[in-house]
Amino acid sequence: MNGTAGAQAAHPPEGEVAALTRWQWVGGLLLRGYLVAQRAARALVRGVHTRWRRSLQLRVVTSTLVISALVTAVLGFFLMQQVRTGLLDAKESAALSDHHAGLTYALNVMQDSDQSDRDRQLDQITDDLGARSGATGLYEVVILPTVGGLTGRASGDVSEASVPVQLREQVQNSTDLERQYYRYTEIVRGHSREPGLAVGAQLSSAFELYYLFPLDHEQEMLDLVQQTLFLVASALIILLAAIAYVVTRQVVIPVRQAASSAERLSSGDLSERMRVRGEDDLARLAVSFNDMAGSLQEKIHELEELSKVQRQFVSDVSHELRTPLTTIRMAGDLLYDDRDDLDPTMRRSVELLQSQLERFEELLADLLEISRHDAGAATLAVESVDIRDAVMRAVGDAEQIAERRGIKVVLRLPAEPCVAEFDVRRINRILRNLVVNAIEHSEGKDVIVTAAGDRDAVAVAVRDFGVGLKEGEEHLCFDRFWRADPARARTTGGTGLGLSIAREDALLHGGWLQAWGMPAKGAQFRLSLPRKAGAELRGSPLPLAPPEMAIGRVRPAYPAAATVERAPGWSAALGEDA
């Protein structure tokens, strides 16, 4: 028995399971609907917010609508209060006058009639005063007893409950028989109620006389005034919004045209001009813009001509210097080969001559390369190469410099090949320049070269721990002939064009060459290239800032890299971080 109950508890009936499934389905459907509605509402809010930020015309028209609506609402409120007060004041004055006339008549009737027949007097007063109100029912008459045991009177079908209790207390406590009191109330006729004004006074020591004035006519007038005011205010608000739209359109359209002309001018269309209409401020703006565009076009044309002359001059001078340099180079090589037969002073002079000739050749080569880039004549000889080979070749070229400075170059290369399409000569020149610069500025500390790749790109980062770069110098370092510290001694004798040429080579590949640095924290240069030649580069496999700067460590903690083979001739100055 117990086992059967336990089984039923563990497995509910099929009907309950079906109902539970249906409720789960309905709940899931409602949840999905709620999420869809929430996303739609967020998209709508974002769209409205974006439209609000971008459209001056929308902000002006909306502001005009809101301000005009507030102003008309305030003015309409005060106007309705004035109309209501005027109608009620006029109604109170007329009501008091009618009640006073009726009260005077009732007092005369009670004084002239026999006091023994009180019921007949009250009926006569009620009928006569009720007849005075006319067929339109200007007011209703109610006579109520002050003391118990007496019966009151009321004209028509009005109920005695229409007289408010507070008004009766005022009348009963009054010491002046002819003193009138009034209060707004609801006139009760069977099951219906309507707003009204009750006016009362003492008729005698035993009775009170009340007039009940319906306010339906005044209410109709107030409703009519309110509807008319609402229609007029709505039309006024719409009219003001239309006026604001037209006025702002006259201003916004020329401004938009000026913005479009400025965008086309900044994109390189120097012939762009604004259309001048009229002689107003916007016309003067268009004239000023056109004058500025014309002056800018002339200046840019002059600069282009000057740049062409400069590039031609550099190219011509570089080519012309090659012939005498070749002759000097041949004579210098002869002297350098026979330097052992010379005295020490002459030998030192020959060695200095040889080093300066090498630097002069590098400078000429860099100037020719810059001229090619400026003239747009630089071309790529693209081939598929493993970026690891390019890194190892560049580090091998810097072997002697690193050994002379006592610096170890640590390689962080991926275990898998990172093949990309690039110009081997230009990429080797970039990497060699980065490694040599890192050794030059490392202040005797290690240099770390990291390579990585993903599906779309490959990257190489060269990190040193030397003097670093100040704020803003990460962009200046790619300018031609720029040096971070001109007073600082150099041992490698660079031309000042290496990084500039390297950046031009990277851009020629559709890649990036970027720098990061902090004073006394070192610097890192990152080269990023797309795997496919001509593809758009959207990201880099390596971060621009070193990982240790993000987590606060002094030295980087890179993941373990695969062991790489050393290039031939590597010395102990070059190492691998195991």
Side-chain angles (χ1 to χ4, degrees), residues 215 217 250 272 302 326 331 403 437 439 463 487 537:
L215 297 178
H217 179 67
Q250 294 178 355
E272 176 65 26
E302 293 176 1
T326 303
E403 183 178 9
N437 280 347
I439 294 173
R463 172 79 160 104
L537 185 61

Side-chain angles (χ1 to χ4, degrees), residues 229-415:
L229 184 61
F230 177 77
L231 293 177
V232 171
S234 300
L236 179 62
I237 292 173
I238 295 174
L239 182 61
L240 290 175
I243 293 174
Y245 176 81
V246 173
V247 173
T248 53
R249 183 178 177 83
Q250 294 178 355
V251 178
V252 169
I253 289 180
V255 172
R256 289 176 179 173
Q257 292 175 351
S260 299
S261 299
E263 290 176 356
R264 287 191 288 270
L265 186 65
S266 63
S267 64
D269 186 7
L270 300 180
S271 62
E272 176 65 26
R273 298 293 184 272
M274 288 184 62
R275 181 179 300 177
V276 181
R277 297 178 178 176
E279 299 178 357
D280 54 9
D281 296 336
L282 294 175
R284 288 197 295 272
L285 172 63
V287 172
S288 301
F289 179 87
N290 293 339
D291 293 341
M292 180 195 68
S295 177
L296 183 62
Q297 185 177 16
E298 293 178 1
K299 295 296 183 183
I300 291 179
H301 182 70
E302 293 176 1
L303 292 175
E304 288 178 349
E305 293 297 329
L306 180 60
S307 178
K308 290 180 181 177
V309 172
Q310 290 177 342
R311 290 197 299 268
Q312 188 64 35
F313 174 76
V314 171
S315 179
D316 293 343
V317 169
S318 301
H319 282 91
E320 291 297 329
L321 288 178
R322 279 196 171 275
T323 300
L325 179 61
T326 303
T327 303
I328 298 173
R329 179 69 174 178
M330 293 173 61
D333 288 342
L334 291 176
L335 293 175
Y336 187 76
D337 292 339
D338 297 335
R339 66 184 182 280
D340 294 335
D341 299 334
L342 302 175
D343 60 88
T345 303
M346 294 295 294
R347 184 167 59 250
R348 178 57 179 166
S349 300
V350 170
E351 292 174 351
L352 291 176
L353 176 63
Q354 185 73 9
S355 63
Q356 294 304 314
L357 284 174
E358 293 176 354
R359 184 177 180 186
F360 195 13
E361 286 183 335
E362 293 178 2
L363 178 59
L364 283 179
D366 290 343
L367 287 175
L368 287 174
E369 190 66 28
I370 284 290
S371 300
R372 294 191 188 97
H373 282 293
D374 291 340
T379 58
L380 294 177
V382 177
E383 56 182 303
S384 297
V385 183
D386 191 345
I387 193 66
R388 300 180 303 174
D389 297 337
V391 171
M392 296 173 65
R393 187 178 298 109
V395 174
D397 293 340
E399 174 186 359
Q400 294 182 355
I401 301 174
E403 183 178 9
R404 190 163 56 247
R405 298 290 299 273
I407 295 172
K408 183 173 68 173
V409 180
V410 180
L411 294 179
R412 294 293 186 183
L413 304 180

